[in-house]
Amino acid sequence: MTNTVDNRSFLDASRIFTGHRALGLVSNHIPLVTRYIPQRKETLIVTVIGNSYHTYGSNKLNLLGVGIAHEDDITCLAGDNYRVYTASGHTIKVWKRSTELCNEFKGHEKTIHLMLPFGLHLLAVDEANYLKVWDINAAEVNFELSFNPETFCISALIHPVTYINKILFGSTQGTMQLWNLKTGKMVFAFNGWKSPITILEQAPAVDVVAVGLASGELILHNLKFDENLMKFKQEWGPITALTFRTDGAPIMITGSSQGHLAIWDLEQQTLVQQHRYAHRGGVTGLKALTAEPIIITSSRDNSLKMWIFDQSDGGVRLLRERGGHKAPPIRLRFHDQLGEWILSTGLDSSLRAFSTVADLLHRNLGTAHYNQKKARRVGLEKAGPKMPPIITFASESVRDKEWDSIAAVHRRHSNVTTWSFHRSTMGEHRLTHQRFVDNMALTKSSATCVTVTACGNFAIVGYDSGHIDRYNMQSGIHRATYLRPDTEKSSELPFTRNAVRGVASDGLNQVVLGVFANGQLNTWNFKSGEIVRETNLEVAPSFTEINRHSGLLAIAMEDFSIAIVEVETGKIVRRLLGHDGRLTDLAFSPDARWVVSSAQDCSIRTWDLPTGTCIDYFLVPKSCVSITFSANGSFLATAHVDDLGIYLWNNQSLYTQVSLRSLEADFQPKVAPLPGSTARSSCSEIEVSETMEEDEQFASPEQISDSLVTLSLLPDSRWKNLLNLDAVKRRNRPKEPPKVQKLAPFFLTNTNSLEAIADSQKESVSRILESSSTPFAIPLTPWAGKLNLAGKPEEYAGVIEELKTMGPSAIDTEIRSLSPHLGGSTHLLSQFLTSISVVLESKRNYEVVQAYLGLFLKVHASSLSEEHELCKRAENLSGVLKDSWSTLQSNFENTLCLVSFFMNAVI
């Protein structure tokens, strides 16, 4: 798969980070499209995600390909067995293999909202109610037709089966028209119904189409006789999606704008099942797989689901699901030390885990609910209201498999919930103090920040009342309260108008730090709760972020600055200035050398802490609300305003030279586009087998560069043992001669067996051909004949290429046959040396030529020493061989020297 945006945009905008991929994007309000590919024996599912599209395989519902980003959002999608058609703005693009742009159709003056592939043509309807029929191959308009939107505004179209050259149009006025596109005339006008037509679908029976209305009515209409066959009614509003099973069952499935599915039995004309809340948003796409009891649904809630008909009552159950946040994420944090998992919370009150390795590993830890047990039993929709969104959370993976490892703070709520990453579920504990129940003045207090200690045993929570409490993660019991010195040692008294903006603990559980709204930083002893020191920050803080390995605490200030505090001394060691908007999040690099900050001015800055300067500064299209750095330093993850995706950025400093000079005061940042949904330089799984057409495939050149040595890619068994071929033959020689089988008993013998034994005894007497005393000339082999006639460089190279096709024994025989004693000649020996020299000068087939030359010298060394011409030719070959090896030897020595230096030198 190719990247969805130009990589140069990333390189120009940021020194350090380059776009990698997006996570958590599955579908939007555009209906899905299914395409059956015979070569794969699989149906491909195409969904739209803003300005690009995804291709999923129906076997595992795994992501196969991602389309290239369009200039504008995709407004319409269509597809057939060979191509995918996307409409963006006024342009239609034709794609093959997900990323290969075949053609563009331009000519519409308004946004395109309906498309239908029709053989070698594509029908497109824009918002001006203008129809154009495009010739796909010629990219020309064959037919144009304009409709009056006041009398017939097109809302759906379909090609009825067996109706040649005819298209059925549905309108918002509730009427239908059947047109012949070849003649350009209307065949018939249907009176229709007094409700807008939302969808048209071909029924399994000929001449019958299903018509979905905005009133919730569903009509099975016979086009030939213009009469209604069946009529159904759903009470959930407009019919937004419609399909029929094609595996023989007379079942029709409809979707609604409320996310419900209705399953209808056409024989009994009854409702079989109501599957409520199949999606959290309206069902926009609904397709049945060919000859399978499976349907695919998509929704604007950013999910794609596969359902199977295997219930005893004829209903469906969820088979597979791919989804992301249904509302924009607001908080991100890497969970593990390998950078493979990102925890994310969104405005949908859910907590999700996204894998940076594979999309199939994504998890949904659940939606926060007041009564989690009831929600699991009867469903979220029937269990009452859900909890407010999670605004911040903290996690620690040390005790992940033993008890809950995540503590989450909810908006305007005093209860802190616990979650288990290992079990992928919400925990049973609600961390809160009794004071918030008993004291009427504190009933409206809420938690503002939380941290989990490095050992994973405790959660420390700060409240807007000024209290800081420590809870046990395993039992949920309150363990300690950290008080300021100007208050009485009572957990019942609030700190007046002095909310806690951030809490943190060091890596050894020695101290607890609390940052208050009045600009005070307090440090307590972790066990005793006694205050150790107080630091005046001089400016009101917003939030904090700690790096436990380095003992540094970063504090975002209300004046858009960043204060770096040393935990051990409580002193401010750096103050970073430069942002022009309110800070939204901070992230330390693993070695604590960098701090990455994001602000509401759409900027992302990287600060070098040793020098206290900004070394990288770029802008993003949408304001970043959360940012996090992986523990191994590979990825930076960001979440943005009104965006469902989570975007990964590569850290280029790990694999290339990056300039870390401080930026000039007048530096002008550039906008970096958000990464696409696929990693750069990766290959699409559907690239070869998606189409039936034969296309040219990429072939690597034989020689990438004249300065490089190219190997032959032959297996080692074809050339590595040429010098030891005699030893191999001796080793493989049988130790004993074959023994004649003993004669069977007389009652089992027969004539055929006796004759076979006699023949074998005759053959075993001697298999050696007696040499004749009469001399005769030995003819040259075909290979030796080509070598004898070679005179051009390409002919010499062809001789070596033919030798590569032979086995070790054949190569040994051919090289030995060059000897004057076995029918060869001095000229043949000279020709072979010339062919070796030509191939060495071309720097191709380097390893096999060395093996052939070694065998040649082993066999014909005495013949070379006897002929002056051959000695001179061998001397020239030695010079060529030395020149070709000197370059490799120099590179090897340089590499070994550097490796030895890095291993032994003290840096």
Side-chain angles (χ1 to χ4, degrees):
M1 286 180 282
T2 61
N3 195 14
T4 57
V5 290
D6 191 354
N7 299 328
R8 291 175 295 181
S9 302
F10 295 112
L11 299 178
D12 294 341
S14 175
R15 292 180 178 180
I16 301 175
F17 301 107
T18 180
H20 179 60
R21 61 173 304 192
L23 303 175
L25 297 175
V26 178
S27 69
N28 63 0
H29 64 282
I30 305 297
L32 64 86
V33 171
T34 56
R35 309 168 53 222
Y36 182 74
I37 308 301
Q39 281 76 7
R40 295 179 62 92
K41 296 181 179 180
E42 182 182 17
T43 300
L44 301 185
I45 306 159
V46 186
T47 62
V48 176
I49 53 161
N51 64 347
S52 183
Y53 63 91
H54 283 182
T55 303
Y56 296 87
S58 61
N59 291 342
K60 298 181 179 179
L61 209 60
N62 55 323
L63 181 63
L64 300 180
V66 178
I68 296 177
H70 297 58
E71 295 78 8
D72 302 315
D73 287 347
I74 297 176
T75 58
C76 189
L77 179 71
D80 54 25
N81 289 346
Y82 304 103
R83 303 171 185 88
V84 173
Y85 309 93
T86 59
S88 177
H90 304 165
T91 305
I92 300 174
K93 295 186 177 182
V94 184
W95 304 90
K96 187 187 295 183
R97 302 192 186 98
S98 291
T99 57
E100 182 181 340
L101 181 61
C102 299
N103 221 326
E104 287 189 0
F105 303 155
K106 297 181 179 180
H108 287 274
E109 298 179 355
K110 296 291 183 178
T111 302
I112 302 162
H113 69 101
L114 289 174
M115 288 193 301
L116 177 67
F118 183 54
L120 299 178
H121 300 83
L122 177 68
L123 280 68
V125 181
D126 56 28
E127 293 181 350
N129 219 32
Y130 200 81
L131 168 69
K132 289 191 176 185
V133 180
W134 296 87
D135 187 309
I136 298 176
N137 296 326
E140 297 177 351
V141 177
N142 285 355
F143 178 70
E144 294 180 283
L145 185 62
S146 179
F147 293 85
N148 186 356
E150 296 181 358
T151 59
F152 193 86
C153 183
I154 300 176
S155 60
L157 70 164
I158 189 178
H159 166 58
V161 176
T162 70
Y163 282 57
I164 301 175
N165 299 325
K166 296 177 180 63
I167 297 295
L168 179 66
F169 296 96
S171 68
T172 57
Q173 287 78 14
T175 59
M176 298 190 301
Q177 295 181 5
L178 185 65
W179 283 76
N180 189 322
L181 297 183
K182 187 174 183 180
T183 61
K185 297 181 180 180
M186 184 174 64
V187 178
F188 191 79
F190 299 87
N191 294 328
W193 307 266
K194 297 179 180 180
S195 178
I197 296 175
T198 58
I199 187 170
L200 294 174
E201 184 72 17
Q202 174 68 49
V206 180
D207 299 326
V208 179
V209 296
V211 183
L213 304 178
S215 61
E217 292 182 332
L218 177 64
I219 311 296
L220 290 182
H221 192 76
N222 189 302
L223 300 179
K224 187 174 183 179
F225 299 102
D226 188 20
E227 62 180 9
N228 296 338
L229 302 180
M230 300 179 189
K231 186 176 182 180
F232 303 94
K233 171 75 173 181
Q234 70 176 21
E235 300 176 354
W236 308 318
I239 294 178
T240 58
L242 172 66
T243 191
F244 293 88
R245 287 180 60 178
T246 58
D247 58 338
I251 296 297
M252 177 179 63
I253 307 98
T254 59
S256 72
S257 58
Q258 298 182 18
H260 308 322
L261 292 178
I263 302 173
W264 309 85
D265 190 325
L266 299 180
E267 287 186 351
Q268 304 296 330
Q269 298 186 23
T270 58
L271 179 64
V272 177
Q273 183 191 30
Q274 295 181 6
H275 198 96
R276 293 179 177 268
Y277 302 105
H279 289 274
R280 298 291 180 85
V283 179
T284 57
L286 177 59
K287 293 291 182 181
L289 299 188
T290 304
E292 293 187 58
I294 293 176
I295 59 173
I296 307 293
T297 61
S298 66
S299 171
R300 62 177 70 248
D301 66 355
N302 193 29
S303 66
L304 180 68
K305 297 184 179 182
M306 177 181 289
W307 311 81
I308 184 171
F309 287 87
D310 62 354
Q311 302 297 297
S312 58
D313 59 352
V316 296
R317 68 174 177 89
L318 184 63
L319 183 61
R320 294 185 180 91
E321 178 184 8
R322 296 291 174 263
H325 280 291
K326 298 170 179 59
I330 55 179
R331 181 76 169 176
L332 305 177
R333 285 297 179 266
F334 275 94
H335 179 66
D336 62 330
Q337 299 299 317
L338 300 177
E340 295 180 354
W341 289 101
I342 301 175
L343 293 176
S344 170
T345 62
L347 295 174
D348 55 356
S349 299
S350 67
L351 179 62
R352 291 179 175 268
F354 293 94
S355 172
T356 61
V357 178
D359 291 343
L360 290 174
L361 302 178
H362 295 342
R363 304 182 190 175
N364 183 8
L365 276 65
T367 301
H369 205 280
Y370 289 106
N371 192 339
Q372 194 66 16
K373 290 184 178 179
K374 184 178 180 181
R376 293 185 191 134
R377 187 174 66 255
V378 302
L380 293 175
E381 292 75 14
K382 299 179 181 180
K386 58 186 178 182
M387 296 185 70
I390 298 173
I391 58 174
T392 184
F393 66 91
S395 67
E396 185 59 52
S397 60
V398 176
R399 299 285 188 176
D400 207 7
K401 297 183 179 180
E402 300 177 23
W403 51 71
D404 295 346
S405 58
I406 305 169
V409 173
H410 296 262
R411 178 179 295 172
R412 293 188 294 273
H413 209 282
S414 60
N415 288 348
V416 174
T417 57
T418 60
W419 302 71
S420 173
F421 177 80
H422 179 65
R423 293 184 290 113
S424 299
T425 184
M426 186 178 179
E428 301 295 334
H429 302 310
R430 302 294 182 269
L431 307 181
T432 186
H433 196 278
Q434 189 63 28
R435 77 170 75 89
F436 299 110
V437 178
D438 299 338
N439 192 338
M440 294 298 295
L442 300 177
T443 54
K444 294 184 179 181
S445 298
S446 60
T448 57
C449 51
V450 66
T451 185
V452 177
T453 58
C455 61
N457 293 321
F458 301 100
I460 303 173
V461 184
Y463 299 89
D464 59 3
S465 62
H467 296 94
I468 298 178
D469 296 321
R470 172 160 56 92
Y471 302 89
N472 186 280
M473 289 289 289
Q474 182 180 9
S475 62
I477 299 175
H478 177 266
R479 291 303 187 189
T481 298
Y482 300 97
L483 301 174
R484 287 178 54 192
D486 56 350
T487 60
E488 298 180 8
K489 299 239 175 175
S490 172
S491 61
E492 303 298 329
L493 296 177
F495 300 152
T496 307
R497 298 178 183 177
N498 199 10
V500 181
R501 295 292 177 84
V503 292
S505 64
D506 66 335
L508 300 176
N509 287 354
Q510 298 295 318
V511 295
V512 173
L513 298 95
V515 178
F516 296 88
N518 63 352
Q520 200 73 14
L521 169 63
N522 289 356
T523 305
W524 293 271
N525 183 281
F526 184 87
K527 294 182 179 179
S528 65
E530 298 179 355
I531 193 162
V532 177
R533 72 179 65 87
E534 294 183 61
T535 303
N536 186 9
L537 300 175
E538 300 178 355
V539 181
S542 297
F543 56 89
T544 63
E545 184 69 22
I546 191 171
N547 184 280
R548 291 190 172 113
H549 297 290
S550 63
L552 295 178
L553 178 70
I555 306 175
M557 299 298 186
E558 295 288 351
D559 63 350
F560 313 151
S561 65
I562 304 172
I564 307 298
V565 178
E566 190 176 18
V567 173
E568 186 175 356
T569 62
K571 296 182 179 180
I572 299 177
V573 295
R574 291 287 186 275
R575 192 176 291 274
L576 311 175
L577 304 173
H579 278 290
D580 297 327
R582 182 183 178 87
L583 294 168
T584 57
D585 207 354
L586 299 172
F588 277 97
S589 63
D591 56 359
R593 183 180 180 88
W594 298 341
V595 170
V596 183
S597 60
S598 61
Q600 291 181 349
D601 58 359
C602 298
S603 65
I604 296 179
R605 290 175 178 260
T606 304
W607 307 86
D608 185 64
L609 292 185
T611 61
T613 58
C614 180
I615 58 175
D616 190 31
Y617 176 23
F618 65 96
L619 303 177
V620 288
K622 301 178 181 179
S623 177
C624 180
V625 297
S626 186
I627 194 168
T628 179
F629 224 126
S630 62
N632 59 2
S634 300
F635 298 120
L636 180 76
T638 60
H640 300 266
V641 173
D642 296 331
D643 198 310
L644 299 179
I646 297 173
Y647 298 94
L648 292 181
W649 308 75
N650 284 320
N651 181 4
Q652 294 187 100
S653 64
L654 297 181
Y655 52 84
T656 187
Q657 185 69 27
V658 174
S659 174
L660 300 180
R661 294 183 294 106
S662 60
L663 300 178
E664 296 80 4
D666 58 347
F667 178 80
Q668 295 297 325
K670 297 181 180 180
V671 178
L674 297 178
S677 298
T678 176
R680 292 188 293 123
S681 302
S682 60
C683 251
S684 173
E685 298 180 24
I686 59 174
E687 197 165 287
V688 177
S689 60
E690 183 178 297
T691 178
M692 299 172 59
E693 299 174 356
E694 295 288 338
D695 290 322
E696 295 183 1
Q697 298 183 4
F698 173 77
S700 177
E702 295 183 1
Q703 186 79 359
I704 297 177
S705 174
D706 295 337
S707 61
L708 299 178
V709 170
T710 304
L711 303 182
S712 65
L713 300 181
L714 285 179
D716 295 348
S717 59
R718 300 280 291 275
W719 58 271
K720 204 168 186 179
N721 296 319
L722 285 177
L723 296 177
N724 304 319
L725 199 59
D726 294 338
V728 173
K729 290 181 178 180
R730 287 195 301 269
R731 183 190 63 188
N732 296 336
R733 184 180 300 170
K735 297 181 180 180
E736 298 180 359
K739 297 181 179 179
V740 179
Q741 296 181 355
K742 295 182 179 180
L743 295 176
F746 69 92
F747 52 82
L748 296 179
T749 57
N750 54 42
T751 306
N752 295 335
S753 62
L754 292 175
E755 293 177 355
I757 293 173
D759 294 341
S760 63
Q761 290 177 348
K762 291 179 181 180
E763 293 178 0
S764 63
V765 173
S766 177
R767 295 176 182 267
I768 302 176
L769 179 65
E770 297 292 340
S771 59
S772 174
S773 58
T774 305
F776 61 91
I778 302 177
L780 294 177
T781 64
W783 176 82
K786 293 181 180 179
L787 178 63
N788 187 39
L789 299 176
K792 298 179 180 179
E794 55 271 15
E795 295 177 348
Y796 288 115
V799 169
I800 299 299
E801 290 294 333
E802 185 175 348
L803 204 60
K804 287 169 55 179
T805 62
M806 304 179 185
S809 298
I811 295 173
D812 181 76
T813 301
E814 292 289 356
I815 292 180
R816 290 181 183 275
S817 66
L818 301 179
S819 174
H821 306 291
L822 296 177
S825 64
T826 304
H827 176 69
L828 282 177
L829 297 177
S830 176
Q831 285 286 88
F832 185 82
L833 291 177
T834 303
S835 64
I836 294 293
S837 178
V838 168
V839 176
L840 285 176
E841 289 176 351
S842 66
K843 297 183 179 180
R844 299 182 181 180
N845 302 318
Y846 192 77
E847 81 280 23
V848 298
V849 168
Q850 302 282 348
Y852 298 161
L853 180 60
L855 178 61
F856 178 82
L857 295 176
K858 176 182 177 181
V859 175
H860 303 294
S862 58
S863 299
L864 293 179
S865 61
E866 295 174 358
E867 297 290 338
H868 176 71
E869 182 182 352
L870 294 178
C871 289
K872 188 175 180 180
R873 187 62 59 86
E875 185 177 355
N876 295 336
L877 179 59
S878 176
V880 175
L881 185 62
K882 185 176 180 180
D883 293 340
S884 63
W885 171 248
S886 60
T887 304
L888 287 178
Q889 186 178 18
S890 177
N891 292 334
F892 287 151
E893 291 176 350
N894 292 339
T895 304
L896 292 174
C897 180
L898 289 174
V899 171
S900 177
F901 172 75
F902 290 138
M903 292 177 62
N904 302 322
V906 179
I907 302 178

